[in-house]
Amino acid sequence: MTTNSSQVARMARKHDGSPVTVLGLGLMGQALAGAFLRKGHATTVWNRTASKAERLVAQGAKLAGSVRDAAAASPLVVICVSDHEVVGGLLEQLDDVLDGKVVVNLSSGTSAQARDLAARAARRGGALLDGAIMAVPDEVGSKDVAVVYSGSRAAFDAYEPVLRDLAEATYLGEDHGLSSLYEVAVMPLMWGILNGFLHGAAMLGAVNVNASAFAPIAEQAIGSATRWLAGYARQIDEGVFPPVDVSIDLHRAEMQHVVAESEALGVNAELPKFIRAMADRAVAAGHGGESYPAMIELFRAPG
């Protein structure tokens, strides 16, 4: 059984108060349900540990006695649990409940798992949107953050007004795996920023400078780096890397300074040494005179 575009459109209710079900009430699930309630949606919730719903029930949510009852209560079913394997287990319990419904999966996993979940939902008559939340729970409901979605275009179009009550909603395409892939692509960016900050704080801490004094300077530096991204992206897409700012050779020299300073301060130098080693490989491959995004070639190839 499959869900067609007209069926999805008939199920959608594009007005305040349209019913929504949220399965999973961890910190993010509670934030999602709370955002729906604040926007006036009739919200049904379910969680294996029912006590997690108490605050939401006090705000007007309806606690379902089972996952099947919860899914049956609304045409839009939002799932936010620990991972895609748990989502699959929930779908297995909803064989005769999902017909004509839209399932929005906001749980983390891989792109291959997202495609598999979409196929499982389709076999049960449901249309699945896979989503990735680019925010922490406290930010849900703000227009300053985004959730990206992929999968059924008809389902996204039908429920976009409701989904925008959670955050800015960006549609990526019909491939159900795109949103999960975007999510895992963003994670190395986040870790790179955080690990870089921690390394810098350790270096300054070695001479008794507080991390709080470093934070505003680090924020300014991060802001400058983000302004390079659009230009770097164009170079990557075009496959040419003119040194419009600083060449990899010059970056490599700065990397050596970071390694030397770290070692002199007694700070772990593994991170800058790893970055320098990649730059060494780029230079050896003939990219030393090109701009930093030429390093993409090292990321494209297995290590």
Side-chain angles (χ1 to χ4, degrees), residues 167-184:
E168 283 299 312
T170 300
Y171 180 74
L172 301 175
E174 294 277 353
D175 179 357
H176 290 87
L178 277 176
S179 57
S180 290
L181 191 53
Y182 265 70
E183 182 176 31
V184 296

Side-chain angles (χ1 to χ4, degrees), residues 12 22 65 69 90 99 112 189:
V22 177
D69 289 345
L90 294 177
D99 189 27
L189 177 64

